[in-house]
Amino acid sequence: MKWVWSAIALLLGRGRRAPARVDRQRLIVEQPPSRRGENVVLVLLGLATLSFAAFVAVYALDRLPAQTQLFGITLGLGFAFAAAACIVTSRLLVPVEEISDPYANEPHEEAVAEIEQLVEESGSRLTRKRLLTVAALGTGGAMGAALLAPVASLGPVVGPDALRRDGWRRGMLLVDSEGRPLSADGVEPGTFYTAFPAGASHDELWAPLVVVRVTDTLELPEGRDPQRWAPEGIVAYSKICTHAGCAIALYRSPLNEETSMKPALVCPCHYSTFDPARGAKVLFGPAGRPLPQLPLQIDDRRRLRAGGHFSGNVGPSWSGVRRGRA
Amino acid sequence: MILRRAVRFVDERTGAAPLLGKALRYVFPDHWSFLLGEIAMYAFLVLVATGVYLTLFFEPSLAKTVYHGQYAPLDGVHMTKAYASAVDLSFRVKAGLLMRQTHHWAADVFLVAIVLHVWRVFFTGAFRKPRELVWYVGIAMLFTALLEGYLGYSIVDDLLSGMGLAIGYSVALSIPVIGGNLGLLLWGGPYPGVPQFESRMYIAHVLIFPLLIGGLLALHLALIVARHHTQFGGPTRSERRVGGLPAFPGYAPRSIGLFFGVVSMLFLLGGLVQINPIWLWGPYEISQGTNGAQPDWYLGWLIGALRITPGFDLTIGNYTLVPNPFWGGVLLPLAVVAFLVLWPSIERRMTGDRAYHNLLDRPRDNPTRTAVGAAVLTVLAGVFFAGAGDRFDVSFGIPYGSQIWFWRAFTFVLPFGVFWLVRRFCRDLAADDESEPATGYEPGAPTA
């Protein structure tokens, strides 16, 4: 108990300090004290302390509603009061002075010359300077190549053929995200369906499809027989946008046939818009290629099956995207 | 006496007393706009502190799990451990959500402060000799911070993360000739579906990039101290002498106050203003997307640039020379970096000015520089707002299709007009200054 009292006495005892040494000239100009400033700072420090304590209390209680908000308020206020205390201190309690220093506006010519001389003289024992330099540079290059070579382990090494993956095969069943087969009769006009290959990963770029029943006139690109590519007007395209790889998650369906824009598949990332009736030709937006189309078959139980591979490479473009397929 | 003994102890072992004494009296010229860089620095400290806290709970793994946590709507949903642990640390960990949101807010504020600071330095000519190196280091920090922020919201593996990564991957693929190989190298294989990529992003986000930023920051500060701060002119302030508050005792409480103020603002935001509610987005599935998806503000210019590019791939026969995302995703940022890095040399060459510059320009003092800066800002504003075009469509009913043409004109035509107008405006202002001298107002003189 005794030490508590002595601590309090120590904390509160003011003006008892030994007088400042007067034998040296002051380094900082003398400025008058500000009792009011001190009082303000004390109050602010007290409020900050209370706020921080409140944070700890909220944390310890752990049953208050809106806990995150209370955390933010208590911690935020604590720091706000502390900040205010610092600012008042800087304005009223600390000597305010304007001092100045010279800028260094000259180069050290002597030192610069000396360094140049040092480096020049350091090579004075060499007779075949150029040859040695070339050799050292060669070694440095080889060293760099040796150290960098393992970086290639990060990815498939030669040729980006891994980008040409297309797991669709003739006869593969189209299923929805729950694994239920898609029936040709279930494909209604005016909307789109997402489909995946049965029994294969849903997480690879080639897997997801958009399936649409086209009611307009079909105008597929040359060489795509509608019997094979759009049986009963049902078309399937890769769901991955050829611009930047997002999922084609929107379908534009005309509300008023007279004035609305025609049905389209739309990517929500950069609004590339594709025409399902014309081989997913780009109608609008930054995509540079149509969506690859998948040929379809309808089996004897009216289920949709793949009729073969995609018409082109799936996903965003790279230099070889218009060449060949896997 | 205790203090003297402590300082003597250090001095006897390091000889640092004279240096320390000088450091305490280091001069800080005062102007509100000088605080922007400081705010960025303090936001970085908050990022490191909250980020370390988050690493204690986040699990950077794309291994599959089934969620059975406190957030009922996601119960039983298949997801990666990364996403599950991020949702968990938001709901189950006490103060976890506060730390996550504060971290996210701090990242956004960090970049706001850096960007404003860069333009402050640009328009006042603070980058001129002898401070070009400070400028280059700062630009390096800006773009490191951009990437760091992108990695940060990408490692969570929610639906927005995945969409952002798909776009980043497409941008990598779009680099002429080497893009395909580069994308596979960085991602470890075709995206998505390569689990190693998460650990790559993680080590980059929590170690490599923070170290880079920290190192660049230290270098930035050391270079500033080596040549002193720039200043606006004033009674004690000239090209030959720097004037202002000493670090101690005058400036220290101000700066500490600013630090606490930044921390306070970030915790208030983190506690009160929701940001990136990842539990609403759901886990990433390549077959899913969401309308109205927006990146963090500092990537808005890139998404806008991708959006206003007309739809074409540049091809030679069936060889795709330049895939579309290259223009907005690679060329534009490269052009901006090139502009910022080359500008000090361009200006030096244009003016033939090789003198030391310690006094800052007001924007009007150099009409051409100010006009060029305003034009570049107009380009950036054009692509930035274009990135929000779908929001303008939803909120104000302005058709997106026509907006694209408006933003294209804004981005490519308006800058010329802005250049001409701003230069003229600056010249008029400067002429006014000359015709009415000595009003008693010293521009940029300390007010306190």
Side-chain angles (χ1 to χ4, degrees):
Chain A
M1 215 49 208
K2 213 171 175 183
W3 63 268
V4 176
W5 287 119
S6 40
I8 291 171
L10 242 171
L11 278 171
L12 294 179
R14 289 180 296 206
R16 302 271 169 81
R17 243 167 263 150
R21 299 167 60 109
V22 284
D23 51 344
R24 289 176 64 176
Q25 215 195 334
R26 284 190 64 98
L27 293 170
I28 301 175
V29 244
E30 194 155 17
Q31 286 172 353
S34 161
R35 284 298 286 258
R36 245 188 70 212
E38 286 177 10
N39 291 339
V40 172
V41 168
L42 281 172
V43 169
L44 287 170
L45 289 178
L47 290 171
T49 311
L50 282 179
S51 307
F52 289 128
F55 175 81
V56 177
V58 174
Y59 187 90
L61 274 174
D62 195 26
R63 62 175 83 94
L64 298 173
Q67 203 182 41
T68 300
Q69 284 80 352
L70 286 176
F71 281 152
I73 290 174
T74 49
L75 215 47
L77 281 182
F79 278 107
F81 287 128
C86 287
I87 300 302
V88 175
T89 302
S90 77
R91 296 268 150 172
L92 298 175
L93 301 189
V94 155
V96 179
E97 35 176 354
E98 168 105 3
I99 64 169
S100 80
D101 245 356
Y103 279 119
N105 284 350
E106 301 288 334
H108 302 97
E109 290 296 1
E110 281 277 300
V112 171
E114 208 166 279
I115 290 171
E116 187 189 25
Q117 193 186 343
L118 263 174
V119 173
E120 274 170 3
E121 289 175 8
S122 73
S124 56
R125 291 178 73 184
L126 304 177
T127 56
R128 286 172 296 172
K129 224 185 259 184
R130 183 161 296 169
L131 183 63
L132 280 164
T133 313
V134 168
L137 283 178
T139 307
M143 188 190 289
L147 291 177
L148 280 179
V151 171
S153 303
L154 289 177
V157 186
V158 193
D161 274 342
L163 295 171
R164 296 180 198 280
R165 249 182 244 174
D166 175 359
W168 287 101
R169 300 286 178 270
R170 174 190 278 272
M172 248 182 176
L173 208 56
L174 271 65
V175 295
D176 67 11
S177 59
E178 307 298 322
R180 293 172 300 221
L182 244 70
S183 155
D185 304 321
V187 179
E188 306 274 351
T191 183
F192 77 104
Y193 299 83
T194 301
F196 301 92
S201 164
H202 291 192
D203 297 333
E204 290 189 41
L205 225 47
W206 57 270
L209 298 176
V210 279
V211 178
V212 174
R213 184 184 289 276
V214 175
T215 47
D216 299 355
T217 341
L218 267 173
E219 277 179 61
L220 294 182
E222 228 173 289
R224 288 190 206 167
D225 172 20
Q227 292 294 325
R228 197 165 114 67
W229 293 84
E232 301 178 13
I234 299 174
V235 287
Y237 299 101
S238 160
K239 199 180 177 181
I240 303 304
C241 184
T242 53
H243 172 238
C246 294
I248 307 288
L250 304 174
Y251 186 70
R252 184 173 81 191
S253 176
L255 296 175
N256 179 338
E257 300 288 348
E258 306 288 304
T259 56
S260 296
M261 292 186 280
K262 56 190 304 191
L265 296 160
V266 183
C267 172
C269 281
H270 311 97
Y271 296 101
S272 291
T273 304
F274 304 90
D275 186 347
R278 292 195 288 163
K281 190 176 158 220
V282 182
L283 291 172
F284 174 81
R289 286 156 41 227
L291 299 171
Q293 188 174 1
L294 190 74
L296 288 178
Q297 298 172 336
I298 298 170
D299 68 14
D300 45 9
R301 290 166 59 191
R302 303 287 297 157
R303 295 177 305 185
L304 289 175
R305 289 176 181 276
H309 294 294
F310 276 117
S311 60
N313 284 305
V314 166
S317 297
W318 78 98
S319 60
V321 71
R322 286 172 172 80
R323 288 178 178 177
R325 295 199 325 261
Chain B
M1 282 323 271
I2 294 177
L3 184 67
R4 179 177 288 201
R5 280 226 300 278
V7 175
R8 185 182 293 131
F9 179 91
V10 171
D11 186 59
E12 282 169 348
R13 282 150 189 86
T14 61
L19 195 71
L20 199 65
K22 255 183 110 173
L24 288 176
R25 303 302 275 173
Y26 180 82
V27 184
F28 283 94
D30 223 6
H31 190 263
W32 65 267
S33 67
F34 299 175
L35 296 184
L36 293 167
E38 250 176 285
I39 292 174
M41 180 171 75
Y42 292 142
F44 179 64
L45 293 185
V46 173
L47 280 167
V48 172
T50 50
V52 167
Y53 189 83
L54 295 177
T55 59
L56 305 177
F57 303 99
F58 179 67
E59 198 181 338
S61 156
L62 293 187
K64 294 282 186 183
T65 181
V66 180
Y67 182 77
H68 292 295
Q70 298 197 333
Y71 186 65
L74 284 178
D75 192 59
V77 171
H78 291 261
M79 56 179 66
T80 58
K81 288 186 172 170
Y83 180 61
S85 66
V87 172
D88 242 14
L89 81 83
S90 308
F91 285 100
R92 194 180 48 74
V93 178
K94 222 197 284 184
L97 182 59
L98 174 79
M99 294 299 177
R100 220 200 83 226
Q101 296 198 140
T102 304
H103 190 70
H104 202 125
W105 272 116
D108 282 349
V109 169
F110 182 48
L111 275 145
V112 171
I114 294 182
V115 167
L116 292 178
H117 178 58
V118 164
W119 288 106
R120 191 286 287 178
V121 167
F122 180 86
F123 284 116
T124 56
F127 56 80
R128 288 173 297 174
K129 187 179 167 185
R131 293 180 187 80
E132 296 97 325
L133 297 179
V134 187
W135 171 257
Y136 300 143
V137 172
I139 299 307
M141 237 188 305
L142 165 63
F143 285 91
T144 317
L146 276 180
L147 269 174
E148 171 70 343
Y150 172 67
L151 285 172
Y153 76 76
S154 294
I155 55 174
V156 180
D157 199 42
D158 58 50
L159 184 54
L160 276 185
S161 307
M163 291 169 76
L165 281 174
I167 298 170
Y169 175 70
S170 310
V171 167
L173 289 197
S174 78
I175 296 171
V177 187
I178 59 160
N181 281 311
L182 184 74
L184 289 176
L185 192 72
L186 288 177
W187 266 262
Y191 175 82
V194 192
Q196 305 90 301
F197 185 57
E198 180 76 6
S199 30
R200 291 180 193 181
M201 285 199 291
Y202 185 67
I203 195 69
H205 181 71
V206 304
L207 182 75
I208 300 172
F209 279 65
L211 274 185
L212 258 176
I213 295 175
L216 290 169
L217 179 61
L219 188 58
H220 197 67
L221 296 179
L223 286 167
I224 292 170
V225 170
R227 293 289 91 169
H228 266 301
H229 282 74
T230 49
Q231 58 186 355
F232 285 105
T236 60
R237 305 174 182 191
S238 67
E239 288 286 8
R240 312 189 57 83
R241 292 193 77 81
V242 55
L245 279 173
F248 185 84
Y251 199 76
R254 283 192 195 197
S255 196
I256 296 169
L258 181 68
F259 173 47
F260 289 158
V262 170
V263 176
S264 162
M265 174 182 68
L266 293 175
F267 273 126
L268 283 174
L269 284 169
L272 298 177
V273 188
Q274 186 179 67
I275 189 163
N276 198 22
I278 50 169
W279 51 91
L280 296 182
W281 312 150
Y284 177 55
E285 305 278 346
I286 55 165
S287 60
Q288 287 181 10
T290 159
N291 196 14
Q294 293 288 348
D296 275 274
W297 79 270
Y298 46 83
L299 294 177
W301 60 303
L302 295 178
I303 200 169
L306 289 174
R307 281 181 181 175
I308 63 170
T309 309
F312 72 100
D313 287 349
L314 197 64
T315 55
I316 300 175
N318 64 359
Y319 186 79
T320 307
L321 189 62
V322 187
N324 190 284
F326 176 78
W327 309 107
V330 183
L331 192 67
L332 172 71
L334 280 183
V336 172
V337 174
F339 167 74
L340 291 172
V341 167
L342 293 178
W343 182 256
S345 323
I346 294 173
E347 191 179 301
R348 212 168 39 218
R349 189 151 304 179
M350 260 174 13
T351 55
D353 180 358
R354 284 168 201 286
Y356 284 75
H357 289 283
N358 299 313
L359 284 186
L360 293 171
D361 283 338
R362 286 172 304 161
R364 73 186 68 171
D365 297 333
N366 192 325
T368 305
R369 177 205 300 141
T370 304
V372 168
V376 172
L377 272 180
T378 310
V379 173
L380 294 176
V383 287
F384 182 80
F385 289 125
D390 51 340
R391 300 286 84 205
F392 296 136
D393 189 333
V394 173
S395 308
F396 309 114
I398 314 166
Y400 181 82
S402 0
Q403 268 192 61
I404 286 304
W405 285 102
F406 175 75
W407 295 122
R408 279 175 187 162
F410 193 113
T411 305
F412 290 102
V413 183
L414 193 61
F416 294 100
V418 167
F419 175 83
W420 181 81
L421 210 70
V422 168
R423 192 160 67 161
R424 206 181 134 165
F425 184 57
C426 287
R427 284 178 176 165
D428 286 354
L429 279 176
D432 283 355
D433 285 351
E434 275 175 31
S435 62
E436 37 181 295
T439 49
Y441 169 70
E442 275 288 348
T447 46

